[in-house]
């Protein structure tokens, strides 16, 4: 497994420092959340900073993906606003951020940009919300094709595209576009999917571009440290065997203790992977052998 950590969990650290800590702890990569403190896509001189971070990633031997879930990146008053489901002016703001993220990802050598649909505005009928999402995704997929980066679309509880069924619907509406991958959040599978978590992983595997991981409880959308929720991780990691992208710990609200939380997280995941007993061909120990 290529363990990674989301930099939104290191918001009190400078990005180069956070990357160095992750490398020292043995992580293989970073899921870099574009925001005011880390690679602000609207800051003057951002291209120079991106070049420096690309060099830093190379020196540390870290892979990367680009995430776009900063809470107040576009609107200082409203979290995750505007979205692709808003009116043309608001949706264009979100699309501009995502286009910048695609170009930054290309410059970093990151193969994936993560995104989500947003919450459907109360005044927008569901059919119109889906039409808006498809229209803007078509434009973004054109840009993704131009720069050679995949969009990793994340189903998010409470949003228009909330679950795997919603992602599959969007994929059909976009003609199964080869640049529309899936960002699977393992905690979300426990939170709201009607299947057990390993089954969700197996269903998602054909589309996986990026994985986020943390513990969670049924019906409660709260990202928890490993062991504080209800997920049995060895079967989940066994189901993920064969996936070669990043598996990124997402604990955005744990930045006050980021180095120790990151240390505990990778230790837990390594132990869980060992307990999974996967042999590299998708089999648990003893399976398929005489």
């Amino acid at each position: 497994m290529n363990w990674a950590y989301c930099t939104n969990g290191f918001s009190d650290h400078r990005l180069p420092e956070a990357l160095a800590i992750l490398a020292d702890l043995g992580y293989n990569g970073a899921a870099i959340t574009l925001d005011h403190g880390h690679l602000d896509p609207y800051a003057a001189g951002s291209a120079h900073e991106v070049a420096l971070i690309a060099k830093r990633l190379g020196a540390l031997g870290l892979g990367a993906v680009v995430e776009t879930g900063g809470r107040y990146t576009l609107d200082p008053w409203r979290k995750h606003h505007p979205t692709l489901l808003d009116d043309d002016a608001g949706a264009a703001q979100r699309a501009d951020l995502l286009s910048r993220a695609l170009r930054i990802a290309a410059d970093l050598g990151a193969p994936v940009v993560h995104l989500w649909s947003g919450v459907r505005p109360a005044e927008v009928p569901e059919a119109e919300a889906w039409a808006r999402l498809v229209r803007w995704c078509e434009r973004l997929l054109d840009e993704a094709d131009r720069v050679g980066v995949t969009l990793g679309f994340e189903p998010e509880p409470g949003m228009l595209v909330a679950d795997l069924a919603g992602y599959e619907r969007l994929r059909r509406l976009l003609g199964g576009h080869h640049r529309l991958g899936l960002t699977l959040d393992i905690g979300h599978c426990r939170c709201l999917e009607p299947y057990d978590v390993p089954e969700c992983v197996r269903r998602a595997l054909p589309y996986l571009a990026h994985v986020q991981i943390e513990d969670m409880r049924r019906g409660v959308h709260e990202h928890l440290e490993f062991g504080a929720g209800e997920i049995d991780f060895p079967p989940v990691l066994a189901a993920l065997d064969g996936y070669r992208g990043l598996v990124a710990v997402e604990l955005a609200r744990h930045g006050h203790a980021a180095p120790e939380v990151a240390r505990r997280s990778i230790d837990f995941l390594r132990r869980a992977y060992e307990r999974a007993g996967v042999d590299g061909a998708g089999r648990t120990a003893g399976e398929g052998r005489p």
Side-chain angles (χ1 to χ4, degrees):
M1 287 290 164
N2 291 310
W3 308 122
Y5 203 94
C6 296
T7 63
N8 60 10
F10 272 82
S11 57
D12 293 324
H13 286 72
R14 298 176 184 87
L15 183 54
E17 295 169 345
L19 297 177
I21 289 171
L22 295 179
D24 286 347
L25 290 173
Y27 283 92
N28 305 107
I32 300 175
T33 301
L34 305 185
D35 211 346
H36 307 297
H38 292 167
L39 286 187
D40 183 349
Y42 296 100
S46 61
H48 177 66
E49 186 181 3
V50 169
L52 291 176
I53 293 300
K55 185 176 180 180
R56 185 68 167 157
L57 289 167
L60 293 169
L62 295 175
V65 301
V66 169
E67 297 203 355
T68 59
R71 294 186 182 94
Y72 297 99
T73 310
L74 294 176
D75 187 327
W77 287 93
R78 291 174 290 182
K79 182 173 71 172
H80 299 321
H81 185 85
T83 77
L84 297 175
L85 309 181
D86 285 297
D87 60 22
D88 284 349
Q93 278 187 274
R94 176 62 59 176
D96 177 67
L97 170 63
L98 293 167
S99 294
R100 290 170 186 252
L102 284 164
R103 294 192 293 272
I104 288 171
D107 289 342
L108 290 174
V112 176
V113 165
H114 144 280
L115 74 162
W116 32 249
S117 65
V119 176
R120 178 174 65 88
E123 71 278 7
V124 178
E126 185 173 350
E128 173 60 20
W130 278 98
R132 291 181 183 184
L133 180 61
V134 168
R135 185 165 62 250
W136 284 104
C137 281
E138 285 173 339
R139 300 183 191 185
L140 290 166
L141 287 165
D142 287 343
E143 178 72 8
D145 254 344
R146 280 193 292 272
V147 299
V149 173
T150 294
L151 290 174
F153 201 100
E154 180 190 6
E156 181 81 23
M159 293 191 177
L160 179 69
V161 178
D163 53 19
L164 285 170
Y167 167 78
E168 290 166 345
R169 176 181 178 182
L170 179 63
R171 187 174 177 84
R172 288 193 300 271
L173 291 170
L174 289 165
H177 197 290
H178 69 287
R179 289 287 180 191
L180 185 71
L182 170 67
T183 292
L184 182 70
D185 188 298
I186 298 300
H188 295 172
C189 295
R190 177 59 185 161
C191 177
L192 86 169
E193 292 285 355
Y195 319 100
D196 66 21
V197 182
E199 185 177 351
C200 290
V201 172
R202 290 189 287 270
R203 180 173 173 179
L205 273 175
Y207 319 114
L208 272 189
H210 180 42
V211 173
Q212 298 168 338
I213 192 166
E214 70 286 316
D215 215 340
M216 207 168 284
R217 299 188 182 98
R218 188 73 178 166
V220 182
H221 185 200
E222 181 183 2
H223 291 231
L224 302 172
E225 278 200 67
F226 300 108
E230 300 170 341
I231 299 175
D232 181 16
F233 282 94
V236 174
L237 299 179
L240 268 175
D241 192 65
Y243 164 72
R244 295 293 177 255
L246 295 182
V247 180
V249 178
E250 189 185 17
L251 292 170
R253 296 181 180 178
H254 293 67
H256 63 283
E260 287 308 310
V261 173
R263 184 192 304 278
R264 290 196 294 267
S265 296
I266 196 168
D267 288 348
F268 179 97
L269 289 169
R270 285 168 170 163
R271 291 194 302 270
Y273 191 66
E274 288 175 3
R275 291 198 302 273
V278 176
D279 69 358
R283 301 173 299 197
T284 54
E287 181 184 355
R289 299 184 182 92

